[in-house]
């Protein structure tokens, strides 16, 4: 049986998801990350097709109508979504496919595909979150406060996820995710593993 699976990773903006994912991609060649589509404007220096496919609202709505999205959600004023076709291909190839998506999209995927694993990356505190968002320097004060409000809502959904990883020290968080990935691969290979910390 293929050990390919989908790992949905959510966490507030500023929780360090992108940094954790970059480390995972470097450390494990069987891990891949889906490139989402968004109507949000690119941040300076970000290339189309690398972090996101940047499209217009009309193009995004066309993709929804053509059923080319595995899931999509509105976050703030913008659409975000996961293009379907590469995901199914990667799973068949035995890859661990990471989807970096917010809580509404995560809920929709878990309903549609109950076999996916979901993980919430928890910031150590709201103060740390605000400091990280300010330090990034890419959002206005107003946008930061909007993101903090969304973060409080997202954190209230953390217990809907199969796993919660607290991102206090990057290295520990990355190790925690890799352990979960390896346990799930072993389970899919039919090995008996201690999955006592799976919330099932
Ligand atoms: P950002 O604007 O900071 O890049 O992303 C904002 C939020 O959108 C993040 O929580 C991110 O996880 C989420 N997001 C990114 N891509 C997708 C996607 O394809 N689907 C959904 N539902 N959320 C996404």
């Amino acid at each position: 049986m293929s050990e390919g699976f989908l790992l949905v990773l959510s966490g507030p903006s500023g929780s360090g998801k992108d940094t954790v994912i970059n480390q995972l991609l470097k450390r494990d060649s069987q891990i891949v990350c889906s490139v989402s589509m968004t109507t949000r404007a690119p941040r300076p220096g970000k290339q189309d097709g690398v972090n996101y496919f940047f499209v217009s609202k009309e193009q995004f709505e066309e993709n929804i109508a053509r059923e080319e999205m595995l899931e999509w959600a509105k976050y703030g004023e913008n659409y975000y979504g996961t293009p379907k076709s590469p995901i199914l291909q990667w799973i068949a190839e035995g890859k661990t496919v990471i989807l970096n998506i917010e809580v509404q999209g995560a809920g929709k995927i878990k309903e549609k595909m109950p076999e996916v694993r979901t993980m919430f990356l928890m910031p150590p505190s709201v103060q740390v979150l605000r400091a990280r968002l300010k330090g990034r320097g890419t959002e206005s004060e107003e946008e930061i406060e909007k993101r903090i409000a969304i973060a409080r809502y997202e954190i209230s959904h953390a217990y809907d996820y199969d796993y919660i990883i607290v991102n206090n020290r990057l290295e520990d968080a990355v190790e925690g995710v890799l352990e979960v990935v390896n346990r799930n691969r072993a389970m899919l290979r039919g090995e008996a593993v201690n999955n006592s910390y799976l919330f099932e």
Side-chain angles (χ1 to χ4, degrees):
M1 187 178 169
S2 164
E3 57 178 72
F5 71 101
L6 263 186
L7 179 64
V8 169
L9 186 67
S10 299
S13 179
S15 60
K17 269 174 309 180
D18 293 349
T19 315
V20 167
I21 291 172
N22 285 339
Q23 286 297 318
L24 294 169
L25 295 175
K26 268 192 207 153
R27 304 249 302 248
D28 188 320
S29 63
Q30 290 303 100
I31 295 180
V32 292
C33 185
S34 157
V35 180
S36 294
M37 198 168 271
T38 184
T39 59
R40 139 164 110 56
R43 294 194 182 116
K46 299 287 175 176
Q47 266 174 293
D48 190 35
V50 178
N51 298 81
Y52 281 111
F53 296 109
F54 296 100
V55 299
S56 67
K57 185 164 174 275
E58 290 69 32
Q59 273 174 295
F60 199 103
E61 287 172 348
E62 244 174 60
N63 280 306
I64 298 174
R66 281 202 242 107
E67 299 190 0
E68 285 172 6
M69 310 305 280
L70 190 62
E71 62 73 41
W72 59 271
K74 261 196 145 174
Y75 174 96
E77 310 295 307
N78 291 304
Y79 284 119
Y80 291 81
T82 309
K84 202 189 299 181
S85 61
I87 307 287
L88 305 177
Q89 172 77 28
W90 277 325
I91 295 177
E93 288 170 4
K95 303 272 200 255
T96 299
V97 185
I98 297 191
L99 303 188
N100 168 359
I101 64 182
E102 52 59 72
V103 295
Q104 305 163 58
K108 283 190 218 163
I109 289 214
K110 190 74 180 174
E111 253 173 48
K112 234 200 240 177
M113 305 170 76
E115 71 279 13
V116 304
R117 290 289 178 229
T118 60
M119 183 184 278
F120 192 86
L121 196 64
M122 182 72 93
S125 68
V126 169
Q127 287 88 331
V128 169
L129 196 63
R130 185 177 278 112
R132 285 184 187 161
L133 286 171
K134 280 193 178 162
R136 192 154 86 181
T138 48
E139 275 86 17
S140 65
E141 281 286 325
E142 193 192 342
E143 180 65 25
I144 288 175
E145 288 315 311
K146 256 193 223 164
R147 286 183 175 231
I148 296 280
I150 297 175
R152 289 185 191 277
Y153 159 79
E154 292 180 315
I155 289 168
S156 76
H157 280 277
Y159 280 118
D160 297 340
Y161 285 72
D162 297 320
Y163 308 93
I164 296 175
I165 303 270
V166 179
N167 188 13
N168 200 359
R169 260 190 77 234
L170 174 67
E171 188 52 32
D172 295 342
V174 172
E175 285 295 331
V177 181
L178 285 174
E179 193 180 335
V180 166
V181 166
N182 286 322
R183 279 176 195 236
N184 278 286
R185 286 174 177 160
M187 273 190 265
L188 287 164
R189 287 195 300 267
E191 291 169 22
V193 284
N194 172 7
N195 62 352
S196 57
Y197 76 127
L198 243 180
F199 303 158
E200 294 176 332

